[in-house]
Amino acid sequence: MDPDVSILLHCASWRGLREWQVEVELSSRFNRYASPDTEEHIESMWEERIKREPWLFNGAKFRLHSTNWTTHYSPTSRPHDARGAQVQEKTTRETSGQQCCCSGEKGREEAHKHAQCGGQPAVPLPNTYSGDSPVVKSHSLKGSGCQGEPRRVLLSLQLGLTCYKDYLGTNWSERVGELQRRGAVELGDPQGLLAQPLGVGAVMATADGQVVLLKRSQKVAEAAGLLDIPGGHPEPKAVCNGISEESITIESLQGKEEAVLKEIFSSVLAEIRDEVNVPLSSLSEPILLGIALNHTSAGRPSAEFYVRCFLTADEVKTVYRRGGPEANESTDVVFLKETEWLALDESAPLWSELCPSAKGAIILHQKVMPVNDQNQNV
């Protein structure tokens, strides 16, 4: 099992989730816990970093605290925090002998292929989402596919607020092990003192069945020179019009939960546009495969999506070479047949050339959309 990556949750029971099947909950309870010595360390690290790289700037990010499968659909499942541990809450029933998604003979056989599930309970639902499932929300949702169709929420994301400076000073600190030990002892949560910004990534498949990878520049801060999928972060500033970046608080996001959810799903398309130079009109709606944890940055979470591109690989290569807004982040575009992508594992020579985010996306893609199931959700 690759130590760089693990799986917090996957959406295999529904072959991926669409925007209208997810909701977000925003609260300061989901923020990073701040202590005086930690804040001093963060400030010290930031000052050192901007002396070396004065072009860096701080920015608000969403912090993933935990996730929760709605009890209407999975009565025995518990919420999961952003390290994969189950969170005890009064609103969720106790699990009685519930197996995780990698348990049993089949799970053991796939253990070499799929990263740890974090104890995620097996979801007792059909393999494909059914419109006959119980309705758990009574309001209509824009973009659900049918005018006035009630929203059926399957997954809830508990989000707080963090920033890039805190990310560098916690997840990327040389003291991160100490911070995790303190969090476990003092807070009952090893990630409680960490920033844990939520990232996004896209498995983008072209019209002729190729998956798009980018060769990362040697000048980027993380995973320089490795192959990655297009990705980045959803931005709180995108839903806080008229508020400066420094003034964004969790209170300023209250009442904007649907806008935050839309930003999470749309940001992955924006990253493809900016990094690969593919127009939004050539992309399908994103389908959430699950959330992977990057252990090279202390378990930072990233929501991985599947996106169909209506351009061929040659057409993608052409627009990429014209350059987009974030063309400086990569030096080349690489294509891999989707069938080959889905067959990758740690034994493949290419595996060592992949970023943790790409590895997590592969594992989730294999779990959620197998080779013979590629066209069901697009």
Side-chain angles (χ1 to χ4, degrees):
M1 193 174 295
D2 194 310
D4 288 350
V5 65
S6 65
I7 301 304
L8 174 65
L9 65 87
H10 64 76
C11 307
S13 292
W14 304 276
R15 296 296 183 261
L17 299 183
R18 290 172 168 82
E19 181 182 330
W20 57 276
Q21 294 169 298
V22 183
E23 68 178 2
V24 299
E25 181 183 354
L26 300 167
S27 173
S28 59
R29 294 183 293 112
F30 305 140
N31 289 352
R32 176 182 64 84
Y33 182 81
S35 65
D37 61 322
T38 304
E39 305 317 295
E40 184 179 342
H41 175 67
I42 291 171
E43 289 297 332
S44 175
M45 278 197 67
W46 181 249
E47 288 177 10
E48 281 185 28
R49 189 68 180 264
I50 58 176
K51 283 179 183 177
R52 298 195 310 267
E53 304 168 70
W55 56 85
L56 289 180
F57 63 94
N58 193 20
K61 306 294 178 188
F62 295 109
R63 180 181 189 268
L64 180 66
H65 172 271
S66 51
T67 65
N68 185 19
W69 295 109
T70 60
T71 54
H72 296 267
Y73 289 90
S74 183
T76 57
S77 66
R78 296 177 183 171
H80 287 71
D81 63 20
R83 71 184 188 281
Q86 290 178 328
V87 178
Q88 303 288 342
E89 289 191 2
K90 293 179 181 179
T91 56
T92 312
R93 300 178 186 177
E94 290 295 321
T95 301
S96 177
Q98 185 74 16
Q99 294 181 321
C100 76
C101 67
C102 293
S103 60
E105 290 300 322
K106 184 176 180 181
R108 284 192 287 272
E109 290 172 3
E110 295 183 348
H112 72 284
K113 191 183 211 179
H114 299 298
Q116 66 189 32
C117 67
Q120 180 182 337
V123 183
L125 288 177
N127 284 338
T128 55
Y129 175 74
S130 169
D132 296 327
S133 299
V135 174
V136 299
K137 294 286 181 181
S138 60
H139 63 278
S140 299
L141 180 73
K142 296 175 183 177
S144 64
C146 297
Q147 185 69 27
E149 181 181 347
R151 178 173 183 173
R152 297 176 175 88
V153 174
L154 297 170
L155 177 66
S156 179
L157 306 177
Q158 283 78 51
L159 301 178
L161 200 62
T162 187
C163 64
Y164 184 60
K165 178 176 72 173
D166 289 1
Y167 173 54
L168 292 181
T170 59
N171 288 68
W172 275 105
S173 169
E174 70 276 3
R175 292 174 47 189
V176 67
E178 175 192 338
L179 293 175
Q180 289 178 310
R181 288 189 292 273
R182 280 184 53 195
V185 172
E186 299 171 15
L187 308 172
D189 178 7
Q191 308 300 81
L193 292 167
L194 305 189
Q196 294 296 87
L198 177 65
V200 294
V203 177
M204 186 178 91
T206 65
D208 51 348
Q210 305 280 324
V211 172
V212 176
L213 293 166
L214 298 173
K215 180 83 168 179
R216 288 176 64 80
S217 166
Q218 292 291 343
K219 297 180 180 179
V220 295
E222 296 180 44
L226 295 179
L227 292 173
D228 200 6
I229 56 176
H233 295 85
E235 303 290 348
K237 65 183 179 183
V239 296
C240 290
N241 295 330
I243 301 177
S244 66
E245 188 96 30
E246 308 79 43
S247 302
I248 296 175
T249 63
I250 202 70
E251 288 73 26
S252 61
L253 292 167
Q254 294 299 322
K256 300 179 180 179
E257 287 80 2
E258 287 195 13
V260 170
L261 178 63
K262 182 174 289 295
E263 166 61 13
I264 292 171
F265 273 72
S266 64
S267 66
V268 74
L269 301 180
E271 294 293 346
I272 294 173
R273 177 197 62 199
D274 294 344
E275 294 181 7
V276 193
N277 205 31
V278 171
L280 296 180
S281 59
S282 296
L283 301 173
S284 73
E285 70 167 313
I287 296 174
L288 178 64
L289 299 172
I291 298 175
L293 303 179
N294 181 346
H295 295 290
T296 65
S297 51
R300 176 183 58 83
S302 181
E304 310 295 0
F305 295 85
Y306 183 84
V307 177
R308 273 287 180 190
C309 176
F310 308 131
L311 304 180
T312 65
D314 284 343
E315 290 170 330
V316 169
K317 186 182 296 184
T318 297
V319 296
Y320 172 82
R321 287 177 175 170
R322 291 174 187 159
E326 297 179 6
N328 62 311
E329 293 185 5
S330 64
T331 58
D332 199 7
V333 62
V334 176
F335 299 93
L336 193 66
K337 288 182 180 179
E338 197 165 353
T339 51
E340 295 175 353
W341 163 268
L342 284 163
L344 283 175
D345 59 22
E346 292 176 69
S347 66
L350 185 64
W351 191 263
S352 62
E353 300 179 38
L354 298 172
C355 294
S357 53
K359 294 175 181 177
I362 289 171
I363 294 166
L364 284 167
H365 195 181
Q366 291 170 341
K367 187 75 175 175
V368 178
M369 293 172 136
V371 175
N372 61 356
D373 200 38
Q374 289 309 291
N375 296 319
Q376 290 189 12
N377 279 316
V378 181

